[in-house]
Amino acid sequence: MKILVLNGPNLNLLGKRERQHYGSLSLPAIEKQLKKLGRELGVQLEFFQSNFEGALVEKIQNARDKADGILINPAAYTHTSIALRDALAAVEIPFVEVHLSNLAKREEFRKRSLLSDLALGVISGFGPASYFLGLRALAEFLKKS
Ligand code: DQA
């Protein structure tokens, strides 16, 4: 079973960026832990981060017939990107949306996600554990379906 783990803009700066919201773990450190969890769950992971909307859209398009599921932190594109929404809808790959911070506690503009209603579910506010919980939930869903 293959899961694509996508990260949007500025998440390459994790560990250095607004630690009060996003914590001190770097993205490679989170990916290392995800890889370990992936092995335990028996799923194969591919990682991709980009600061470019089109690059993320292309990665999603190319995942058609290749990935069984997508774990995505769309970062700021959560709130703005109809293009990401359309790409996820087009490929029809089940996905889980994750956020390090609790979006419900933050600025008004972060409370709206253009992707959530297409997602299997959303996990927000648990720091890096949002990714681990999201991966577990996605793997469990895929094993049942
Ligand atoms: C984020 C929340 C977004 O609003 C923000 O733009 C991010 C990170 C999170 O993981 O909490 O870059 O997706």
Side-chain angles (χ1 to χ4, degrees), residues 35-116:
K35 219 182 254 179
K36 186 167 169 265
L37 179 59
R39 276 195 297 271
E40 283 168 27
L41 297 170
V43 296
Q44 198 183 317
L45 302 182
E46 181 188 343
F47 299 100
F48 184 75
Q49 185 277 331
S50 180
N51 295 322
F52 297 93
E53 190 175 23
L56 292 161
V57 167
E58 285 193 345
K59 196 71 189 176
I60 293 167
Q61 287 186 8
N62 292 335
R64 192 198 280 272
D65 302 325
K66 287 187 202 135
D68 301 294
I70 296 176
L71 183 70
I72 183 168
N73 184 347
Y77 289 142
T78 307
H79 320 295
T80 63
S81 181
I82 298 170
L84 274 191
R85 177 188 173 85
D86 286 351
L88 287 162
V91 297
E92 295 180 326
I93 299 172
F95 73 95
V96 171
E97 178 183 335
V98 298
H99 300 280
L100 294 143
S101 61
N102 180 351
L103 298 182
K105 274 192 195 164
R106 300 192 59 197
E107 302 98 319
E108 277 309 310
F109 67 85
R110 292 189 205 273
K111 291 182 183 159
R112 186 182 71 147
S113 165
L114 296 182
L115 311 179
S116 294

Coordinates of all heavy atoms in Angstrom, one line a residue, residues 35-116:
K35 N 8.3 7.5 8.5 CA 8.8 6.4 7.8 C 8.8 5.1 8.8 O 8.4 4.0 8.4 CB 10.3 6.7 7.4 CG 10.6 6.1 6.0 CD 12.0 6.4 5.7 CE 12.1 7.5 4.6 NZ 13.5 7.8 4.3
K36 N 9.2 5.4 10.0 CA 9.2 4.3 11.0 C 7.8 3.8 11.3 O 7.5 2.6 11.3 CB 9.8 4.9 12.3 CG 10.0 3.8 13.4 CD 10.9 4.4 14.5 CE 11.0 3.5 15.7 NZ 10.0 3.9 16.7
L37 N 6.9 4.7 11.4 CA 5.5 4.3 11.6 C 4.9 3.6 10.4 O 4.2 2.6 10.5 CB 4.6 5.6 11.9 CG 3.1 5.4 12.2 CD1 2.9 4.4 13.4 CD2 2.5 6.7 12.5
G38 N 5.3 4.1 9.2 CA 4.9 3.5 8.0 C 5.3 2.0 7.9 O 4.5 1.1 7.6
R39 N 6.5 1.7 8.4 CA 7.0 0.3 8.4 C 6.2 -0.5 9.4 O 5.8 -1.6 9.0 CB 8.5 0.3 8.8 CG 9.5 0.5 7.7 CD 10.9 0.1 8.0 NE 11.4 0.9 9.1 CZ 12.1 2.0 9.0 NH1 12.3 2.5 7.8 NH2 12.6 2.7 10.0
E40 N 5.9 0.1 10.5 CA 5.0 -0.6 11.5 C 3.7 -1.0 11.0 O 3.1 -2.0 11.2 CB 4.8 0.2 12.8 CG 6.0 0.2 13.7 CD 5.9 1.3 14.8 OE1 4.7 1.7 15.2 OE2 6.9 1.8 15.3
L41 N 3.1 0.0 10.2 CA 1.8 -0.2 9.6 C 1.7 -0.9 8.3 O 0.7 -1.2 7.8 CB 1.1 1.2 9.4 CG 0.9 2.1 10.7 CD1 0.5 3.5 10.3 CD2 -0.1 1.5 11.6
G42 N 2.9 -1.2 7.8 CA 3.0 -1.9 6.5 C 2.6 -1.1 5.3 O 2.1 -1.6 4.4
V43 N 2.9 0.2 5.4 CA 2.6 1.1 4.2 C 3.9 1.7 3.7 O 4.8 2.0 4.5 CB 1.6 2.2 4.5 CG1 0.2 1.6 4.9 CG2 2.0 3.1 5.6
Q44 N 3.9 1.9 2.4 CA 5.1 2.5 1.8 C 4.9 4.0 1.6 O 3.8 4.4 1.1 CB 5.3 1.8 0.4 CG 6.7 2.0 -0.2 CD 6.7 1.4 -1.6 OE1 6.1 0.3 -1.8 NE2 7.2 2.0 -2.5
L45 N 5.8 4.8 2.0 CA 5.6 6.3 2.0 C 6.5 7.0 0.9 O 7.6 6.6 0.8 CB 5.8 6.9 3.3 CG 5.0 6.4 4.5 CD1 5.4 7.2 5.8 CD2 3.5 6.5 4.2
E46 N 5.9 7.9 0.3 CA 6.7 8.8 -0.6 C 6.5 10.3 -0.1 O 5.4 10.6 0.2 CB 6.3 8.7 -2.0 CG 7.1 9.6 -2.9 CD 6.6 9.7 -4.4 OE1 5.8 8.8 -4.8 OE2 7.1 10.6 -5.1
F47 N 7.6 11.0 0.1 CA 7.5 12.4 0.6 C 7.7 13.4 -0.5 O 8.6 13.3 -1.3 CB 8.5 12.6 1.7 CG 8.3 11.6 2.9 CD1 9.1 10.5 3.0 CD2 7.3 11.8 3.8 CE1 8.9 9.6 4.1 CE2 7.2 11.0 4.9 CZ 8.0 9.8 5.0
F48 N 7.0 14.5 -0.4 CA 7.2 15.6 -1.3 C 6.7 16.9 -0.6 O 5.6 17.0 -0.1 CB 6.3 15.4 -2.6 CG 6.6 16.5 -3.6 CD1 7.7 16.5 -4.4 CD2 5.6 17.4 -3.9 CE1 7.9 17.4 -5.4 CE2 5.8 18.4 -4.8 CZ 7.0 18.4 -5.6
Q49 N 7.6 17.9 -0.6 CA 7.3 19.2 -0.1 C 7.6 20.2 -1.2 O 8.6 20.1 -2.0 CB 8.2 19.6 1.1 CG 7.8 20.9 1.8 CD 8.4 22.1 1.2 OE1 9.5 22.1 0.6 NE2 7.8 23.3 1.3
S50 N 6.7 21.2 -1.4 CA 7.0 22.3 -2.3 C 6.4 23.6 -1.9 O 5.3 23.6 -1.2 CB 6.5 21.9 -3.7 OG 6.8 23.0 -4.6
N51 N 7.1 24.7 -2.3 CA 6.5 26.0 -2.0 C 5.7 26.5 -3.2 O 5.2 27.6 -3.2 CB 7.7 27.0 -1.7 CG 8.5 26.6 -0.5 OD1 7.8 26.2 0.5 ND2 9.8 26.7 -0.5
F52 N 5.6 25.6 -4.2 CA 4.9 26.0 -5.4 C 3.6 25.3 -5.6 O 3.6 24.0 -5.6 CB 5.8 25.8 -6.7 CG 7.0 26.6 -6.6 CD1 8.2 26.1 -6.0 CD2 7.1 27.9 -7.1 CE1 9.4 26.9 -5.9 CE2 8.2 28.7 -7.0 CZ 9.4 28.2 -6.4
E53 N 2.5 26.0 -5.8 CA 1.2 25.4 -6.0 C 1.2 24.4 -7.2 O 0.7 23.3 -7.1 CB 0.2 26.5 -6.2 CG -1.3 26.1 -6.2 CD -2.2 27.3 -6.3 OE1 -1.7 28.4 -6.8 OE2 -3.3 27.2 -5.8
G54 N 1.7 24.8 -8.3 CA 1.7 24.0 -9.5 C 2.5 22.7 -9.3 O 2.1 21.7 -9.9
A55 N 3.5 22.8 -8.6 CA 4.3 21.5 -8.3 C 3.5 20.5 -7.5 O 3.5 19.3 -7.8 CB 5.6 21.9 -7.6
L56 N 2.8 21.1 -6.6 CA 1.9 20.2 -5.7 C 0.8 19.6 -6.6 O 0.4 18.4 -6.5 CB 1.3 21.0 -4.5 CG 2.4 21.4 -3.5 CD1 1.9 22.5 -2.6 CD2 2.8 20.2 -2.6
V57 N 0.2 20.5 -7.4 CA -0.9 20.0 -8.3 C -0.4 18.9 -9.2 O -1.0 17.8 -9.4 CB -1.4 21.2 -9.2 CG1 -2.3 20.7 -10.3 CG2 -2.2 22.1 -8.3
E58 N 0.8 19.1 -9.8 CA 1.4 18.0 -10.7 C 1.7 16.7 -9.9 O 1.5 15.6 -10.4 CB 2.7 18.5 -11.4 CG 2.3 19.5 -12.5 CD 3.4 19.8 -13.4 OE1 4.6 19.5 -13.1 OE2 3.1 20.4 -14.5
K59 N 2.2 16.9 -8.7 CA 2.4 15.7 -7.9 C 1.1 14.9 -7.6 O 1.1 13.7 -7.7 CB 3.1 16.1 -6.6 CG 3.8 15.0 -5.8 CD 5.0 14.5 -6.5 CE 5.6 13.3 -5.9 NZ 6.7 12.8 -6.6
I60 N 0.1 15.6 -7.3 CA -1.2 15.0 -7.1 C -1.7 14.3 -8.4 O -2.1 13.2 -8.4 CB -2.3 16.0 -6.6 CG1 -1.8 16.5 -5.2 CG2 -3.7 15.4 -6.5 CD1 -2.6 17.7 -4.6
Q61 N -1.6 15.0 -9.5 CA -2.1 14.4 -10.8 C -1.3 13.2 -11.1 O -1.9 12.2 -11.5 CB -1.9 15.4 -11.9 CG -2.8 16.6 -11.9 CD -2.7 17.5 -13.2 OE1 -1.9 17.1 -14.1 NE2 -3.4 18.6 -13.2
N62 N 0.0 13.2 -10.9 CA 0.9 12.0 -11.2 C 0.6 10.9 -10.2 O 1.1 9.8 -10.5 CB 2.3 12.4 -11.2 CG 2.7 13.3 -12.4 OD1 2.0 13.3 -13.4 ND2 3.7 14.2 -12.2
A63 N 0.0 11.1 -9.1 CA -0.3 10.1 -8.1 C -1.4 9.2 -8.5 O -1.6 8.1 -8.0 CB -0.6 10.7 -6.8
R64 N -2.2 9.6 -9.5 CA -3.3 8.8 -10.0 C -2.8 7.4 -10.4 O -1.8 7.3 -11.1 CB -4.0 9.5 -11.2 CG -5.3 8.9 -11.6 CD -5.7 9.2 -13.0 NE -6.3 10.6 -13.1 CZ -7.6 10.9 -13.0 NH1 -8.4 9.9 -12.7 NH2 -8.0 12.1 -13.1
D65 N -3.4 6.4 -10.0 CA -3.0 5.0 -10.3 C -1.7 4.6 -9.6 O -1.2 3.5 -9.9 CB -3.0 4.7 -11.8 CG -4.3 5.0 -12.4 OD1 -5.4 4.7 -11.8 OD2 -4.3 5.4 -13.6
K66 N -1.1 5.5 -8.8 CA 0.2 5.1 -8.2 C 0.0 5.1 -6.7 O 0.5 4.2 -6.0 CB 1.3 6.1 -8.6 CG 1.8 5.9 -10.0 CD 3.0 6.8 -10.3 CE 3.1 7.1 -11.7 NZ 3.4 8.5 -12.0
A67 N -0.7 6.1 -6.1 CA -0.8 6.1 -4.7 C -2.2 5.7 -4.3 O -3.2 5.9 -5.0 CB -0.6 7.5 -4.2
D68 N -2.3 4.9 -3.1 CA -3.6 4.5 -2.6 C -4.2 5.6 -1.7 O -5.4 5.6 -1.5 CB -3.4 3.2 -1.8 CG -2.8 2.1 -2.6 OD1 -3.4 1.7 -3.6 OD2 -1.6 1.7 -2.4
G69 N -3.3 6.4 -1.1 CA -3.9 7.5 -0.3 C -2.9 8.6 -0.2 O -1.7 8.5 -0.6
I70 N -3.4 9.8 0.2 CA -2.6 11.0 0.4 C -2.7 11.5 1.8 O -3.9 11.7 2.3 CB -2.9 12.0 -0.7 CG1 -2.6 11.5 -2.1 CG2 -2.2 13.3 -0.4 CD1 -3.1 12.5 -3.2
L71 N -1.6 11.8 2.4 CA -1.6 12.5 3.7 C -1.1 13.9 3.4 O 0.0 14.0 2.8 CB -0.7 11.8 4.7 CG -0.6 12.4 6.1 CD1 -1.9 12.1 6.8 CD2 0.6 11.7 6.9
I72 N -1.9 15.0 3.6 CA -1.5 16.3 3.1 C -1.6 17.4 4.2 O -2.6 17.5 4.9 CB -2.3 16.7 1.9 CG1 -1.8 18.1 1.3 CG2 -3.8 16.7 2.1 CD1 -2.3 18.4 -0.1
N73 N -0.5 18.1 4.4 CA -0.6 19.4 5.1 C -0.4 20.5 4.0 O 0.7 20.8 3.6 CB 0.5 19.6 6.1 CG 0.4 20.9 6.9 OD1 -0.4 21.7 6.5 ND2 1.1 21.0 8.0
P74 N -1.5 21.0 3.6 CA -1.5 22.0 2.4 C -1.0 23.4 2.8 O -0.8 24.3 2.0 CB -2.9 22.1 2.0 CG -3.7 21.1 2.8 CD -2.9 20.8 4.0
A75 N -0.7 23.5 4.2 CA -0.2 24.8 4.7 C -1.1 26.0 4.2 O -2.3 25.8 4.3 CB 1.3 25.0 4.3
A76 N -0.5 27.1 3.8 CA -1.3 28.3 3.5 C -2.3 28.0 2.3 O -3.3 28.6 2.2 CB -0.4 29.4 3.1
Y77 N -1.9 27.0 1.4 CA -2.8 26.7 0.3 C -4.2 26.1 0.8 O -5.1 26.1 0.0 CB -2.2 25.7 -0.7 CG -1.1 26.4 -1.5 CD1 0.1 25.7 -1.8 CD2 -1.2 27.7 -1.9 CE1 1.1 26.3 -2.5 CE2 -0.2 28.3 -2.6 CZ 1.0 27.6 -2.9 OH 2.0 28.2 -3.6
T78 N -4.2 25.6 2.0 CA -5.5 25.2 2.6 C -6.6 26.2 2.4 O -7.7 25.9 2.1 CB -5.3 25.0 4.2 OG1 -4.2 24.2 4.4 CG2 -6.5 24.5 4.8
H79 N -6.2 27.5 2.6 CA -7.1 28.5 2.7 C -7.4 29.2 1.4 O -8.2 30.1 1.3 CB -6.7 29.6 3.7 CG -6.1 28.9 5.0 ND1 -6.8 28.1 5.8 CD2 -4.8 28.9 5.5 CE1 -6.0 27.7 6.8 NE2 -4.8 28.1 6.6
T80 N -6.6 28.9 0.4 CA -6.6 29.7 -0.9 C -6.8 28.9 -2.2 O -7.1 29.4 -3.2 CB -5.3 30.5 -1.1 OG1 -4.2 29.6 -1.2 CG2 -5.1 31.5 0.1
S81 N -6.4 27.6 -2.1 CA -6.1 26.9 -3.4 C -7.3 26.1 -4.0 O -7.5 24.9 -3.6 CB -4.9 26.1 -3.3 OG -4.6 25.5 -4.6
I82 N -8.0 26.7 -4.9 CA -9.0 25.9 -5.7 C -8.3 24.9 -6.6 O -8.8 23.8 -6.8 CB -9.9 26.9 -6.5 CG1 -10.6 27.8 -5.6 CG2 -10.9 26.1 -7.4 CD1 -11.3 29.0 -6.3
A83 N -7.1 25.2 -7.0 CA -6.3 24.3 -7.9 C -6.0 23.0 -7.1 O -6.1 21.9 -7.7 CB -5.0 25.0 -8.3
L84 N -5.6 23.1 -5.9 CA -5.3 21.9 -5.1 C -6.5 21.1 -4.9 O -6.6 19.9 -5.0 CB -4.6 22.2 -3.7 CG -3.1 22.4 -3.6 CD1 -2.7 22.5 -2.2 CD2 -2.4 21.3 -4.3
R85 N -7.6 21.8 -4.5 CA -8.9 21.2 -4.3 C -9.3 20.4 -5.6 O -9.7 19.2 -5.5 CB -10.0 22.3 -4.0 CG -11.4 21.7 -3.8 CD -12.4 22.8 -3.7 NE -13.7 22.1 -3.7 CZ -14.3 21.6 -2.7 NH1 -13.8 21.7 -1.5 NH2 -15.5 21.0 -2.8
D86 N -9.2 21.1 -6.7 CA -9.6 20.4 -8.0 C -8.8 19.2 -8.3 O -9.2 18.2 -8.8 CB -9.6 21.4 -9.2 CG -10.7 22.4 -9.1 OD1 -11.7 22.3 -8.3 OD2 -10.7 23.4 -9.9
A87 N -7.5 19.3 -8.0 CA -6.5 18.2 -8.3 C -6.9 17.0 -7.4 O -7.0 15.9 -7.9 CB -5.1 18.6 -8.1
L88 N -7.2 17.3 -6.2 CA -7.5 16.2 -5.3 C -8.9 15.5 -5.7 O -9.0 14.3 -5.6 CB -7.6 16.7 -3.8 CG -6.2 17.0 -3.2 CD1 -6.3 17.9 -2.0 CD2 -5.5 15.7 -2.9
A89 N -9.8 16.4 -6.1 CA -11.1 15.9 -6.5 C -10.9 15.0 -7.8 O -11.5 14.0 -8.0 CB -12.1 17.0 -6.8
A90 N -10.0 15.5 -8.7 CA -9.9 14.8 -10.0 C -9.3 13.4 -9.9 O -9.7 12.5 -10.5 CB -9.0 15.7 -10.9
V91 N -8.3 13.3 -9.0 CA -7.6 12.0 -8.9 C -8.4 11.0 -8.1 O -8.2 9.8 -8.2 CB -6.2 12.1 -8.4 CG1 -5.3 12.9 -9.4 CG2 -6.1 12.7 -7.0
E92 N -9.3 11.5 -7.3 CA -10.2 10.6 -6.4 C -9.4 9.7 -5.6 O -9.7 8.5 -5.4 CB -11.2 9.8 -7.3 CG -12.2 10.7 -8.0 CD -13.2 9.9 -8.9 OE1 -12.8 8.9 -9.5 OE2 -14.3 10.4 -9.0
I93 N -8.3 10.2 -5.0 CA -7.5 9.4 -4.1 C -7.9 9.8 -2.7 O -7.9 11.0 -2.4 CB -6.0 9.6 -4.3 CG1 -5.5 9.2 -5.7 CG2 -5.1 8.9 -3.2 CD1 -4.1 9.6 -6.1
P94 N -8.3 8.8 -1.8 CA -8.7 9.2 -0.5 C -7.5 10.0 0.3 O -6.4 9.6 0.2 CB -9.0 7.9 0.2 CG -8.9 6.9 -0.8 CD -8.3 7.4 -2.0
F95 N -7.9 11.1 0.9 CA -6.8 11.8 1.6 C -7.3 12.3 3.0 O -8.4 12.5 3.3 CB -6.3 13.0 0.7 CG -7.3 14.2 0.6 CD1 -7.1 15.3 1.5 CD2 -8.3 14.2 -0.3 CE1 -8.0 16.4 1.4 CE2 -9.1 15.3 -0.4 CZ -9.0 16.4 0.4
V96 N -6.2 12.5 3.8 CA -6.4 13.0 5.2 C -5.7 14.4 5.2 O -4.5 14.4 4.8 CB -5.9 12.1 6.3 CG1 -5.9 12.7 7.6 CG2 -6.8 10.8 6.3
E97 N -6.3 15.4 5.7 CA -5.7 16.7 5.8 C -5.2 16.9 7.3 O -5.9 16.6 8.2 CB -6.8 17.8 5.5 CG -6.4 19.2 5.7 CD -7.5 20.2 5.4 OE1 -8.5 19.9 4.7 OE2 -7.4 21.3 6.0
V98 N -4.0 17.3 7.4 CA -3.4 17.5 8.7 C -2.8 18.9 8.9 O -2.4 19.5 7.9 CB -2.3 16.5 9.1 CG1 -2.9 15.1 9.1 CG2 -1.1 16.6 8.2
H99 N -2.9 19.4 10.1 CA -2.3 20.7 10.5 C -1.6 20.6 11.8 O -2.2 19.9 12.7 CB -3.3 21.8 10.5 CG -4.0 22.0 9.2 ND1 -3.5 22.7 8.2 CD2 -5.2 21.5 8.8 CE1 -4.3 22.7 7.1 NE2 -5.3 22.0 7.5
L100 N -0.4 21.1 11.9 CA 0.3 21.1 13.2 C -0.5 22.0 14.3 O -0.7 21.5 15.4 CB 1.7 21.8 13.0 CG 2.6 20.9 12.2 CD1 3.5 21.8 11.3 CD2 3.4 20.0 13.0
S101 N -0.9 23.1 13.9 CA -1.6 24.0 14.8 C -3.1 23.8 14.7 O -3.6 23.2 13.8 CB -1.3 25.5 14.4 OG -1.8 25.8 13.1
N102 N -3.8 24.3 15.8 CA -5.3 24.1 15.8 C -5.9 25.3 15.1 O -5.9 26.4 15.7 CB -5.7 24.1 17.3 CG -7.2 23.9 17.4 OD1 -8.0 24.0 16.4 ND2 -7.7 23.7 18.6
L103 N -6.3 25.1 13.9 CA -6.8 26.2 13.1 C -8.0 26.9 13.7 O -8.2 28.1 13.5 CB -7.2 25.7 11.6 CG -6.0 25.1 10.9 CD1 -6.5 24.7 9.5 CD2 -4.8 26.0 10.8
A104 N -8.8 26.2 14.5 CA -10.0 26.8 15.1 C -9.6 27.9 16.1 O -10.4 28.7 16.4 CB -10.8 25.7 15.7
K105 N -8.3 27.8 16.6 CA -7.9 28.8 17.6 C -7.2 30.0 17.0 O -6.6 30.8 17.7 CB -6.9 28.1 18.5 CG -7.4 27.3 19.6 CD -6.2 27.0 20.6 CE -6.5 25.9 21.5 NZ -5.3 25.4 22.1
R106 N -7.0 30.0 15.7 CA -6.2 31.0 15.1 C -7.0 32.1 14.3 O -8.1 32.3 14.6 CB -5.1 30.3 14.2 CG -4.3 29.3 15.0 CD -3.1 28.8 14.3 NE -2.2 29.9 13.9 CZ -1.3 29.7 13.0 NH1 -1.1 28.6 12.4 NH2 -0.5 30.8 12.7
E107 N -6.3 32.8 13.4 CA -7.0 33.9 12.7 C -8.2 33.4 11.9 O -8.2 32.3 11.5 CB -6.0 34.6 11.7 CG -4.7 35.2 12.3 CD -3.6 34.2 12.2 OE1 -3.7 33.0 12.3 OE2 -2.5 34.7 11.9
E108 N -9.1 34.4 11.7 CA -10.4 34.0 11.0 C -10.1 33.3 9.6 O -10.7 32.4 9.3 CB -11.2 35.2 10.8 CG -12.1 35.6 11.9 CD -13.0 34.5 12.5 OE1 -13.7 33.8 11.7 OE2 -12.9 34.2 13.7
F109 N -9.1 33.9 8.9 CA -8.8 33.4 7.5 C -8.3 32.0 7.5 O -8.3 31.3 6.5 CB -7.9 34.3 6.8 CG -6.5 34.4 7.3 CD1 -5.5 33.5 6.9 CD2 -6.1 35.4 8.2 CE1 -4.2 33.5 7.4 CE2 -4.8 35.5 8.6 CZ -3.8 34.5 8.3
R110 N -7.8 31.5 8.7 CA -7.3 30.1 8.7 C -8.4 29.1 9.1 O -8.2 27.9 9.1 CB -6.2 30.0 9.8 CG -4.9 30.7 9.4 CD -3.8 30.3 10.3 NE -2.8 31.4 10.3 CZ -1.8 31.5 9.4 NH1 -1.6 30.6 8.5 NH2 -1.0 32.6 9.5
K111 N -9.6 29.7 9.4 CA -10.7 28.8 9.8 C -11.4 28.1 8.7 O -12.1 27.2 8.8 CB -11.7 29.5 10.7 CG -11.0 29.9 12.1 CD -12.0 30.6 13.0 CE -11.2 31.0 14.3 NZ -11.8 32.0 15.0
R112 N -11.1 28.7 7.5 CA -11.8 28.1 6.3 C -10.8 27.3 5.5 O -9.7 27.7 5.2 CB -12.3 29.2 5.4 CG -13.1 28.7 4.2 CD -13.6 29.7 3.3 NE -12.5 30.3 2.5 CZ -12.6 30.8 1.3 NH1 -13.8 30.7 0.7 NH2 -11.6 31.3 0.6
S113 N -11.1 26.0 5.3 CA -10.3 25.1 4.4 C -11.1 24.9 3.1 O -12.3 24.5 3.2 CB -10.0 23.8 5.1 OG -9.5 22.9 4.1
L114 N -10.4 25.0 2.0 CA -11.0 24.7 0.7 C -11.0 23.2 0.4 O -11.5 22.8 -0.6 CB -10.4 25.5 -0.4 CG -10.5 27.0 -0.3 CD1 -9.9 27.7 -1.5 CD2 -12.0 27.4 -0.3
L115 N -10.3 22.4 1.3 CA -10.1 21.0 1.0 C -10.9 20.1 1.9 O -11.2 18.9 1.6 CB -8.6 20.7 1.1 CG -7.6 21.6 0.4 CD1 -6.2 21.1 0.7 CD2 -7.9 21.6 -1.1
S116 N -11.2 20.6 3.1 CA -11.7 19.7 4.2 C -12.9 18.8 3.8 O -13.0 17.7 4.3 CB -12.1 20.5 5.4 OG -11.0 21.1 6.0

